[in-house]
Amino acid sequence: MRIEGLRVAILGGRTGLLGQALTKAFGRAGAMAFPLSRKDCDVLDPLCVEKWLDRNDPDLLINATGYTQVDLAEDEPEKAFALNATAPPLLATLAARRAIPFIHYSTDFVFNGSKHSPYTEYDEANSTSVYGISKADGERGLLKLGYDRTLIIRISWLFGPGRTNFVKKILGLADTRRNLSVVNDQIGSPSYTPDIAENTIRLVERDASGIFHLANSGETSWHGLANTAVNLANKDCTVSPVPTSAYPTKAVRPSYSVLDLAKFTRTTGATPRRWEDALRQYVLEDLGLGA
Ligand SMILES: NC(=O)c1ccc[n+]([C@@H]2O[C@H](COP(=O)([O-])OP(=O)(O)OC[C@H]3O[C@@H](n4cnc5c(N)ncnc54)[C@H](OP(=O)(O)O)[C@@H]3O)[C@@H](O)[C@H]2O)c1
């Protein structure tokens, strides 16, 4: 699909961490991006979304919305399932009626973390958290619908400009504390939202459909990510590794959720850059810290 001149509707594109990066990347690539907020279109109200689509006639519909509060989801399962499981197939149905491609984002948290090598698209979703189960249900609903122009992109550990995220929170805390403790026994692939957006465009250019894994290359722990960010930003703060047992959370997170990027590379010919390089860009250029 040619990006130049493409009319792209991006649900979550106005305020979402990933949505904002998608809006910028599609704009830079010559598309006409329509970022939508909850006020423009509540995805829980498909009629409202349909009216918007009728009025604006996009060529591509992207769902970058989601219930993303992993711990709160344990107390609000109805809200998590409404947004993460019920809404995606309804949105895909609207895209199917118009015969336009539909892109949806899922998560590494659909896995329970029992593997010790990167998760491929063929591994079974087996999360035990409400968030992970609701996202896996959303994927299943889309696959069951069977609209062949659906692209599901599983991503992980997002950081980037425009909205608070793990790295930004750590750097804020590093201003007020001499020491931070961060878990070092959960391993994953950090992902810079502008890189996810650029690489989404690569998949769109190749008319990709089905499930793809996407992240920055490499892997680390939350401690590794926090420590690297604090060092890049030259903060006067040490980051100590602690086990998950020292920092219990309501939702159980996977101890290992690195995503295998081979299918993305086979399809696009591109290899995402390493997370350390992307983190440097975020800390030094986007946040203007360090050096
Ligand atoms: N963050 C991560 O580390 C991560 C990791 C893996 C996968 N993902 C997935 O990636 C996607 C994007 O995540 P994100 O971190 O960018 O999310 P986010 O920053 O929490 O943004 C979610 C967006 O969805 C919008 N939204 C929520 N409910 C809505 C509704 N009923 N109608 C319309 N819009 C609604 C929000 O609008 P408001 O600002 O008005 O609330 C916001 O713009 C999600 O599917 C998430 O599951 C995220």
Side-chain angles (χ1 to χ4, degrees), residues 15-18 38 42-43 65 68 106 131 135 155 158 163:
T15 59
L17 181 59
L18 176 62
R38 194 191 301 243
D42 185 337
V43 302
T65 72
T68 54
S106 188
Y131 172 71
K135 293 295 292 185
I155 52 179
L158 295 185
R163 191 164 174 137

Side-chain angles (χ1 to χ4, degrees), residues 122-161:
Y122 310 102
D123 284 312
E124 200 185 328
N126 52 8
S127 172
T128 52
S129 71
V130 168
Y131 172 71
I133 295 169
S134 69
K135 293 295 292 185
D137 260 24
E139 294 180 0
R140 263 191 296 276
L142 288 170
L143 296 175
K144 196 167 162 209
L145 182 70
Y147 177 47
D148 61 359
R149 299 188 81 189
T150 299
L151 172 61
I152 300 168
I153 307 179
R154 291 196 187 121
I155 52 179
S156 58
W157 296 27
L158 295 185
F159 65 91

